[in-house]
Amino acid sequence: MEHPINPSEKTKLTHPLPPLSKAPHSSTPSTSSSGRASVYMLQFPRDHVLKMPSEDVQQQYKNYTKYKPIQRRIQRGCCRCVCTSICLIVILLVTVGCILYFGFRPKAPTYSLTNLSISGFEPLLTSSVTPINPSIVATVKTENPNKKLSILYQTNGTVSVYFDSTYLCSGDWPSFRQGPQNVTIFETNLTGSGILLTSLNRDSIVKAETNGSVPLMVYAKVPVKLKFSFITSWVVTVRVTCDVAVTTLTSKAAILSKGLNSG
């Protein structure tokens, strides 16, 4: 049988092609002058020859198609387990939170400044370029109004004092345990070193002290834990801001007014 020849394929013929007048796509085999059918040998590139895969390759393909659905089912099962576990944990946490809230009715503690002993501001009266070393001993009163809840004040708590957003001094908030319905009073030393005020801040402080009312802002950042019976919470950061006015920047300072904001 004569095979049609694709002109785009590079082929090598061992015999000359028949005349073009003969139909190349005819199913009737061409014959030579001797009456015998002409035989053509065609050579194709190796990459055009289709081969049957070996038995090993066929077995690997069968194994792959066999286990792939199983792997997908395992993955879907793992995803369901993870999602179910997360939902159960969230539901458990919400349930425990509701029980603790409605069972203990927690209330926020209250804080107040009872006394401020101030020193280190004397250079402001003589020079505007001399650095100051403020020192303030603050007496703080904390009250826990809860009946069944203890407050555990952690380490690394800080207290800072500012004048018109200008930093003056800072110190540590002590770590201690405050039981239910307990009132605790403590002192903390706040110090600053080499504080250089601008001429505007110096003039404002001197004028305020002359008028007998110096506004200061006390900021506290305290990490605490809440203890409900045998359950202890994670660390919660409490931020307290207190706007206070004092009569003078000396050890005889008296508190005129104060406003407390906590969060």
Side-chain angles (χ1 to χ4, degrees):
M1 177 182 295
E2 181 182 0
H3 297 277
I5 300 176
N6 188 350
S8 62
E9 297 288 343
K10 295 181 179 181
T11 59
K12 186 183 292 186
L13 304 178
T14 58
H15 294 283
L17 294 174
L20 296 176
S21 58
K22 296 183 180 180
H25 299 287
S26 175
S27 60
T28 304
S30 61
T31 57
S32 63
S33 58
S34 60
R36 293 180 299 177
S38 299
V39 178
Y40 301 96
M41 297 181 64
L42 305 178
Q43 293 184 355
F44 296 92
R46 293 185 62 182
D47 55 350
H48 289 191
V49 179
L50 300 178
K51 295 181 179 181
M52 289 293 295
S54 62
E55 294 182 358
D56 295 339
V57 175
Q58 294 182 21
Q59 187 62 35
Q60 291 178 3
Y61 177 77
K62 290 180 181 179
N63 294 338
Y64 178 76
T65 55
K66 176 181 179 181
Y67 289 108
K68 192 172 182 179
I70 297 177
Q71 293 175 354
R72 289 179 178 175
R73 288 196 294 269
I74 294 175
Q75 292 175 356
R76 287 195 294 265
C78 291
C79 290
R80 292 194 190 98
C81 291
V82 172
C83 293
T84 303
S85 301
I86 293 175
C87 292
L88 290 176
I89 293 174
V90 172
I91 293 173
L92 180 61
L93 292 176
V94 172
T95 303
V96 172
C98 292
I99 293 174
L100 294 177
Y101 179 79
F102 291 104
F104 292 92
R105 296 286 183 176
K107 299 178 182 178
T110 59
Y111 307 94
S112 61
L113 284 171
T114 59
N115 186 47
L116 290 176
S117 179
I118 304 173
S119 62
F121 287 89
E122 290 80 7
L124 289 178
L125 303 177
T126 58
S127 174
S128 61
V129 295
T130 303
I132 60 175
N133 301 312
S135 177
I136 300 177
V137 178
T139 304
V140 183
K141 177 182 177 181
T142 67
E143 182 177 358
N144 179 13
N146 298 280
K147 296 180 179 180
K148 301 179 181 180
L149 185 147
S150 298
I151 302 175
L152 309 178
Y153 291 92
Q154 307 298 302
T155 57
N156 300 324
T158 58
V159 184
S160 305
V161 177
Y162 297 83
F163 172 80
D164 193 21
S165 301
T166 300
Y167 169 81
L168 296 178
C169 55
S170 63
D172 296 331
W173 184 289
S175 59
F176 60 94
R177 178 184 181 276
Q178 189 174 27
Q181 295 184 324
N182 174 264
V183 177
T184 301
I185 298 175
F186 64 89
E187 289 185 350
T188 178
N189 295 321
L190 313 178
T191 58
S193 177
I195 306 300
L196 184 60
L197 300 177
T198 64
S199 58
L200 180 61
N201 287 334
R202 175 189 174 278
D203 294 341
S204 299
I205 291 179
V206 172
K207 183 178 180 180
E209 186 170 12
T210 303
N211 295 332
S213 178
V214 182
L216 299 175
M217 192 270 283
V218 181
Y219 174 76
K221 183 179 180 182
V222 187
V224 301
K225 288 184 179 181
L226 305 179
K227 186 175 180 60
F228 306 87
S229 183
F230 59 90
I231 300 175
T232 303
S233 72
W234 53 87
V235 176
V236 180
T237 301
V238 177
R239 294 175 173 84
V240 181
T241 303
C242 181
D243 296 319
V244 58
V246 296
T247 55
T248 181
L249 295 177
T250 63
S251 58
K252 299 179 181 181
I255 297 177
L256 296 176
S257 63
K258 53 189 174 181
L260 182 67
N261 296 316
S262 62

